Amino acid sequence: MKIKGKEYRTIWHEDKGVKIIDQTKLPHNFVIKELKTVKDAINAIKVMEVRGAPLIGATAAYGIVLAIQESNDPEFIKKSSDELIQSRPTAINLKWGVDRMTKKLSGINSDQILDIALKEAKEICDEDEKFCENIGINGLKLIEEIYNKKKSTVNILTHCNAGWLATINWGTATSPIYHAQKKGIPIHVWVDETRPRNQGANLTSYELNEEEIPNTIIADNTGGILMQRGEVDMCIVGTDRTLSNGDVCNKIGTYLKALAAYDNNVPFYVALPSSTIDWNIKDAKDIPIEERNSEELSHMEGIDENNQVKKVLIYPQKSKAMNLAFDVTPAKYVTGLITERGICVASSDGLKQLFRK
Ligand code: MRU
């Protein structure tokens, strides 16, 4: 998608390095950063220079490429793979990306290993782009249905950033929106600010602006009243891990939005590529929920009157804060899952119908 009119993907390999858009600098500065070592890739995931489930999976794949460039000692590659998987706990794509690389590289001799790793990491990115495009084509039908009934602007609420910056291109939740815009359907997006890191305000609103899609940032608690007033036609969110029973783990606050949508008969859709499905964990209580540094709550970053980025403390000095980064929305509150293969009910039967081998 576009930034200042120029097409980008979120990650690519160039001259032995891996280039990323540093998301910690957005929206005030657009910075392309080079990752040179696997440690750089691990750090980029940890500090969220790259974030969003599909993108951290792809970064982990390129992390393995960087590890191989440093040394093709199998022990070093194994240790690097383990550290990549541990860099963030909740999004299943991270393990999925590393496991896919490990499987591809097993038994490959040292002359060929780098070329094969590079090809597979690029394949993971190309596939994610294609899957997200298909999510858009499938989700577009839902927006069209609403538009055909309503004949006026379709209002869509989204949470966090499940836009193209969270994937390789298109995004998951935003892909149907971008496809609807290309079809000429008038769209307006309610963007949840998404405290504490404000991925909605800093990233979703930013990328929608760059694609000229009308959007309005709202405080995380505003969605409920907008739904009561009939000002939300549908919700579309992303996910970091969807269980085979249709339970959806996503950015903290998603659950409360789903409850409000359920109470107000607003359709609540979750968009995901199959790399985000966890076919192993059966009980949502077993999903590892990331707890991040409480400084993300107690401090805020912005630009001052001289256009300088500044970080300030906003809480009382002595107050404690707790920062759980994800929650789980039970399948019963999810109207449907929009995947690259089609739309299904959020249930094991629904997912089986689409993903039967
Ligand atoms: O902590 P983040 O910013 O990585 O959380 C991201 C989300 O919760 C997204 O909604 C999710 O990864 C889906 S990305 C298409």
Side-chain angles (χ1 to χ4, degrees):
M1 307 299 289
K2 290 195 282 290
I3 292 178
K4 293 196 172 53
K6 189 174 168 206
E7 287 285 339
Y8 285 92
R9 300 221 293 188
T10 50
I11 189 164
W12 64 97
H13 188 264
E14 193 181 301
D15 299 335
K16 292 195 162 186
V18 173
K19 298 278 176 73
I20 56 161
I21 297 168
D22 181 349
Q23 299 193 20
T24 60
K25 301 286 187 292
L26 292 173
H28 303 299
N29 293 300
F30 177 72
V31 176
I32 293 176
K33 182 170 179 176
E34 184 174 13
L35 311 177
K36 294 187 176 138
T37 63
V38 64
K39 279 225 159 11
D40 290 345
I42 292 165
N43 183 58
I45 297 169
K46 278 190 177 158
V47 303
M48 295 174 67
E49 289 166 350
V50 287
R51 28 80 36 218
L55 179 56
I56 59 179
T59 307
Y62 273 122
I64 291 177
V65 170
L66 292 172
I68 295 168
Q69 281 180 183
E70 285 169 72
S71 156
N72 54 21
D73 169 12
E75 257 179 54
F76 177 71
I77 298 170
K78 169 82 178 77
K79 190 171 154 278
S80 301
S81 302
D82 291 345
E83 284 176 22
L84 280 162
I85 289 177
Q86 283 152 19
S87 54
R88 284 192 74 190
T90 302
I92 186 75
N93 302 59
L94 198 45
K95 183 170 177 336
W96 172 91
V98 172
D99 286 352
R100 179 159 155 177
M101 294 293 286
T102 306
K103 196 167 163 207
K104 189 75 190 179
L105 300 177
S106 89
I108 302 289
N109 69 45
S110 53
D111 300 340
Q112 294 174 308
I113 194 163
L114 180 58
D115 285 348
I116 292 177
L118 249 176
K119 200 161 163 254
E120 190 65 5
K122 171 133 192 327
E123 179 63 34
I124 286 175
C125 292
D126 292 346
E127 189 183 283
D128 186 70
E129 177 167 5
K130 185 75 212 147
F131 284 4
C132 285
E133 187 178 3
N134 286 346
I135 288 168
I137 294 166
N138 294 327
L140 168 64
K141 294 174 206 141
L142 301 168
I143 300 177
E144 269 176 327
E145 265 170 41
I146 295 171
Y147 179 63
N148 289 338
K149 271 194 210 141
K150 203 185 166 197
K151 303 276 186 249
S152 62
T153 301
V154 180
N155 287 299
I156 300 175
L157 183 143
T158 192
H159 190 67
C160 195
N161 173 261
W164 75 271
L165 290 167
T167 65
I168 304 304
N169 212 342
W170 291 107
T172 59
T174 53
S175 188
I177 295 169
Y178 290 131
H179 280 80
Q181 186 208 34
K182 283 188 197 305
K183 257 211 128 173
I185 298 175
I187 298 276
H188 166 258
V189 185
W190 294 115
V191 178
D192 278 355
E193 180 189 32
T194 319
R195 284 282 287 144
R197 286 186 69 100
N198 295 346
Q199 291 94 325
N202 291 346
L203 304 174
T204 306
S205 183
Y206 171 82
E207 64 164 88
L208 292 173
N209 291 344
E210 295 293 314
E211 289 289 333
E212 296 179 12
I213 296 196
N215 68 92
T216 308
I217 299 168
I218 50 175
D220 292 327
N221 297 326
T222 309
I225 187 169
L226 291 177
M227 291 187 214
Q228 287 174 324
R229 289 180 172 180
E231 291 184 50
V232 180
D233 295 303
M234 71 188 302
C235 303
I236 316 181
V237 300
T239 168
D240 287 78
R241 193 186 287 242
T242 290
L243 300 191
S244 59
N245 66 3
D247 287 353
V248 169
C249 182
N250 192 47
K251 181 54 55 192
I252 194 86
T254 304
Y255 170 50
L256 292 179
K257 233 30 73 79
L259 286 178
Y262 189 79
D263 192 44
N264 289 284
N265 289 319
V266 173
F268 188 91
Y269 284 95
V270 179
L272 64 142
S274 48
S275 52
T276 307
I277 305 172
D278 184 336
W279 297 102
N280 296 317
I281 287 186
K282 299 289 173 235
D283 188 333
K285 289 195 195 76
D286 296 329
I287 298 174
I289 300 289
E290 178 176 18
E291 185 170 348
R292 295 186 63 85
N293 195 318
S294 62
E295 234 194 54
E296 290 182 350
L297 276 159
S298 58
H299 290 66
M300 272 195 126
E301 207 175 84
I303 47 170
D304 66 12
E305 60 283 6
N306 301 316
N307 265 348
Q308 296 302 310
V309 174
K310 240 187 192 156
K311 199 175 193 180
V312 292
L313 170 70
I314 57 167
Y315 284 178
Q317 297 240 4
K318 287 186 181 163
S319 296
K320 278 204 300 189
M322 188 220 208
N323 187 10
L324 289 177
F326 296 92
D327 61 26
V328 179
T329 301
K332 65 180 173 185
Y333 299 121
V334 177
T335 311
L337 303 173
I338 311 170
T339 78
E340 74 268 17
R341 294 203 187 173
I343 300 170
C344 71
V345 176
S347 69
S348 42
D349 282 351
L351 278 167
K352 257 189 228 148
Q353 270 170 25
L354 287 183
F355 293 99
R356 220 189 303 265
K357 282 238 168 82

